[in-house]
Amino acid sequence: MSTITRDSLSRVGLRLLAAHGLADVSMRRVAKEFDVAVSALYWHVRDKQSLLGAMVDQLLEDLDVAPPTGNRRADLVARAELLYDKLVTTRDAAELTASVLALGTGGSRMREIIAEVSGDTVTTDALMALLIGHATLNQQRMQAQALGLEVDTTTITTFRQALDLLL
Amino acid sequence: MSTITRDSLSRVGLRLLAAHGLADVSMRRVAKEFDVAVSALYWHVRDKQSLLGAMVDQLLEDLDVAPPTGNRRADLVARAELLYDKLVTTRDAAELTASVLALGTGGSRMREIIAEVSGDTVTTDALMALLIGHATLNQQRMQAQALGLEVDTTTITTFRQALDLLL
DNA sequence: ACCTGAACACCGTTCAAGT
DNA sequence: ACCTGAACACCGTTCAAGT
């Protein structure tokens, strides 16, 4: 395709993710996409985890976060829903992000987005947990939803209710 | 070791999990533990996911849940903390349980434990999400904590605070 | 600086064949 | 009923060697 950079690497990874799921995002598969030997990737990236980290970073980058309005609760809800939507609409994004956040190889922007309007650590932590927990647990429903044509709003409603309980 | 049953299979899986982590729980590794060919396992278990499901089921089995006292909030907190403790103290249990719950191959008892004292679905869902989300995100802190000798209570405190926010 | 080829040490799953 | 052996189609990572 194009020349290999950390950026094009994660972009290709995200395309593979959307098209075939996390299981098909392998170093060998990515290398094939660049028409290059697997070992070539290791000059641009330390290991696979680092590539996955870069993918999550890029996923969070094309997220246009509205500036704070001053209404803390509304801002938190808006940003949580923005993030949740991203996790739900991108195939296997929940699992990917959970792994990346757990291992600390990327995705730091997610916490920042929430922390900016949250203020305290406890709420930020709780919201982060709720986000990735909810997105992870609803993976099957999301897969089914991805296959069907209609936009299923059940999972979003449920998340919204959990949010109301927390905030 | 012993004769192969679905039960001894998951017990060995859990021992491997505790000793070497989820990455080392492979069909081949489990087979070696029984001194048997890998293919032999497939007579007792449909596939690996099913084995992982059985492992989570067994993990939740040796959890002695106190009967409801009638105080809903106290009961919810007690059960959530009991579950959280299990997820935190067993190596890679968070990741394992998340995967099993997401794919629906086991762990149904976890939801039941909470639902019994919760009553409404919204609270149950939120608590489940908070539990696995929090446990997953604190994986690194937990690993470090597992290596150190001192019992780190930070992660439990944080979870307790999130609980207070939710309930 | 950037990439290839080959190797190492693994995976999960299937299936004919054995007892 | 239960297990073996061999095969299939993969993995991530390393590393000497090439240009």
Side-chain angles (χ1 to χ4, degrees), chain B residues 103-124:
Chain B
L103 297 176
T105 50
S108 54
R109 195 166 117 86
M110 182 164 162
R111 199 169 207 285
E112 289 166 13
I113 289 173
I114 296 186
E116 194 195 359
V117 291
S118 148
D120 74 298
T121 324
V122 177
T123 308
T124 307

Side-chain angles (χ1 to χ4, degrees), chain A residues 26-28 39 42 48:
Chain A
S26 69
M27 295 301 270
R28 293 179 131 93
S39 47
Y42 286 85
K48 193 189 176 182

Side-chain angles (χ1 to χ4, degrees), chain A residues 6 22 25 27 42 45-57 95-107, chain B residues 95 139:
Chain A
R6 218 186 136 75
L22 189 55
V25 181
M27 295 301 270
Y42 286 85
V45 102
R46 174 182 294 274
D47 52 18
K48 193 189 176 182
Q49 260 310 313
S50 153
L51 170 59
L52 297 182
M55 283 168 60
V56 171
D57 283 339
E95 198 186 340
L96 170 67
T97 307
S99 149
V100 163
L101 286 176
L103 297 176
T105 49
Chain B
E95 198 187 338
Q139 198 184 306

Side-chain angles (χ1 to χ4, degrees), chain B residues 11-21 24-26 29-30 33:
Chain B
R11 210 181 304 275
V12 165
L14 282 180
R15 210 190 42 209
L16 245 39
L17 185 77
H20 307 284
D24 277 38
V25 181
S26 68
R29 192 78 176 65
V30 171
E33 218 72 12

